[in-house]
Each structure stands twice: as C-alpha cells, then as structure tokens.
Amino acid sequence: MRKVFLLFLAISTLAACQGGYQEEQLHGKWVGVAVTEEGTPLAVDPGLIQLEFSPEETYTYKSTLDYREAGTFFIEANFLYTHDTLNQASTQKAVELIQLTADSLKIRMMEGEKERRLTLVRS
C-alpha cells in the first residue's frame, strides 16, 4: 500500500511540474507595453511590437525597424517555440513564458549574452 501511495505521489508531483500554459491562452492580438534588457528599459517604442496567434497554430510578429515574421508556433511546458516561414534561413526559436493571463503576456529571451524581457497586453 505504501508503494502505491509513493507512486501516486511521484506521478502527481511530476504532473504538477509539467504544468505550463495552453496554446489557446495565446490566441488573439498582443501589443508591447515594455521592453527591458538586463533590467533597463530599451529606448524603443514598445507599441510597435505586435504579436498575433491564431487557433491554426500560426503567428505573425511585427517589431521595430519594420521587422516581420510569420509562421507556426507551439507551447511546451513554459516555452513558446516559433518557426518563421516568412524569412529565408530561419530556424526554430524558443522563448520562456514568464506570465500568461487573460490580458497580459510576459516573455523572457536572450539577445546574445543579455536577458531581454517583453511585456505585452491583449489588444
């Protein structure tokens, strides 16, 4: 009986640790409200950063300097993976989802050796 309880406890703990977010939570349009690098705000207009996620697991991304991406996405645990099919020689990218609620999205990523954080709100 004790072995069954320990097995149940281990499986429950593993399931809780593998929680994460659901793709449906991302669906819709998002606009940037803050961008920091190593904790310091970047001198960019965060409102130019826009993400849109569709139920068909596709996304579009617009950023400063007229940069654009579009392609497919998926979530695994607390990571958002994107594959840009718009730009040639693109590879799969991963960013960490720090927070995802009904109205806000916080992402952590690395730009070279520096940590960058992006905060977006649902538009």
Side-chain angles (χ1 to χ4, degrees), residues 39-99:
T40 302
L42 289 178
V44 299
D45 179 359
L48 295 175
I49 301 170
Q50 299 174 13
L51 271 165
E52 185 172 354
F53 297 95
S54 78
E56 291 78 30
E57 298 177 356
T58 61
Y59 79 100
T60 58
Y61 173 74
K62 297 177 186 176
S63 185
T64 59
L65 303 175
D66 202 31
Y67 179 78
R68 296 171 186 271
E69 283 184 17
T72 58
F73 77 93
F74 68 94
I75 292 177
E76 189 172 285
N78 293 335
F79 290 91
L80 167 64
Y81 293 88
T82 58
H83 184 252
D84 178 17
T85 56
L86 185 63
N87 298 299
Q88 292 183 359
S90 179
T91 60
Q92 180 173 282
K93 298 176 187 174
V95 296
E96 182 181 8
L97 298 172
I98 298 172
Q99 180 183 15

Side-chain angles (χ1 to χ4, degrees), residues 96-114:
E96 182 181 8
L97 298 172
I98 298 172
Q99 180 183 15
L100 176 55
T101 65
D103 61 356
S104 64
L105 169 61
K106 293 184 181 180
I107 297 172
R108 177 184 171 275
M109 63 198 105
M110 298 302 290
E111 182 65 33
E113 296 291 319
K114 297 182 179 183

Side-chain angles (χ1 to χ4, degrees), residues 29-33 103-105 119-123:
K29 295 180 182 181
W30 300 86
V31 62
V33 293
D103 61 356
S104 64
L105 169 61
T119 302
L120 303 107
V121 295
R122 197 175 293 277
S123 65

